[in-house]
Amino acid sequence: QVQLVESGGGMVQAGGSLRLSCAASGRTGSSYAMGWFRQTPGKEREFVAAINWSGGTTYYPDSVQGRFTISRDNAKNTVYLQMNSLKPEDTAIYSCAAKKGYSGSRYYYEYDYWGQGTQVTVSS
């Protein structure tokens, strides 16, 4: 079992930046790829970023490519999401997820563990 706790959410003006963190605990000795997803009421969960276990490969959708950066520190069991040039449409609850195995994925159903989420609000 792996527990995930997100932090770093908040309110920011358009054009600003936030850095989210996701701390993992529990059975973190196994290899896990990590991902970030976001969701707003009435909308489907949306893929935001993923990273493989070693951190050597990252994945982004077009909507955040060039603005968001996912990274990880395996020594600290922590994954980060640096979000720059934020837009009002980035407003959502952001959740991190862990997927057993080496490679990340853009598909939420391939992830095994989820955090509770952290709210990000971008004002115009």
Side-chain angles (χ1 to χ4, degrees), residues 50-89:
I51 189 167
N52 69 359
W53 180 81
S54 69
T57 303
T58 56
Y59 314 79
Y60 305 95
D62 290 344
S63 58
V64 308
Q65 180 75 50
R67 300 189 298 124
F68 290 11
T69 302
I70 187 172
S71 61
R72 66 189 298 163
D73 184 338
N74 287 344
K76 296 182 179 179
N77 293 324
T78 302
V79 176
Y80 305 97
L81 183 68
Q82 178 67 43
M83 304 186 294
N84 299 327
S85 303
L86 282 161
K87 305 175 182 179
E89 51 264 43

Side-chain angles (χ1 to χ4, degrees), residues 4-31:
L4 303 173
V5 178
E6 301 94 339
S7 61
M11 183 177 292
V12 65
Q13 287 190 327
S17 299
L18 281 174
R19 188 174 85 153
L20 305 183
S21 299
C22 172
S25 60
R27 300 189 68 174
T28 57
S30 300
S31 299

Side-chain angles (χ1 to χ4, degrees), residues 28-47:
T28 57
S30 300
S31 299
Y32 291 96
M34 299 295 293
W36 285 94
F37 293 79
R38 65 188 182 188
Q39 192 164 22
T40 54
K43 290 190 174 182
E44 294 273 327
R45 184 163 13 190
E46 181 185 6
F47 168 68

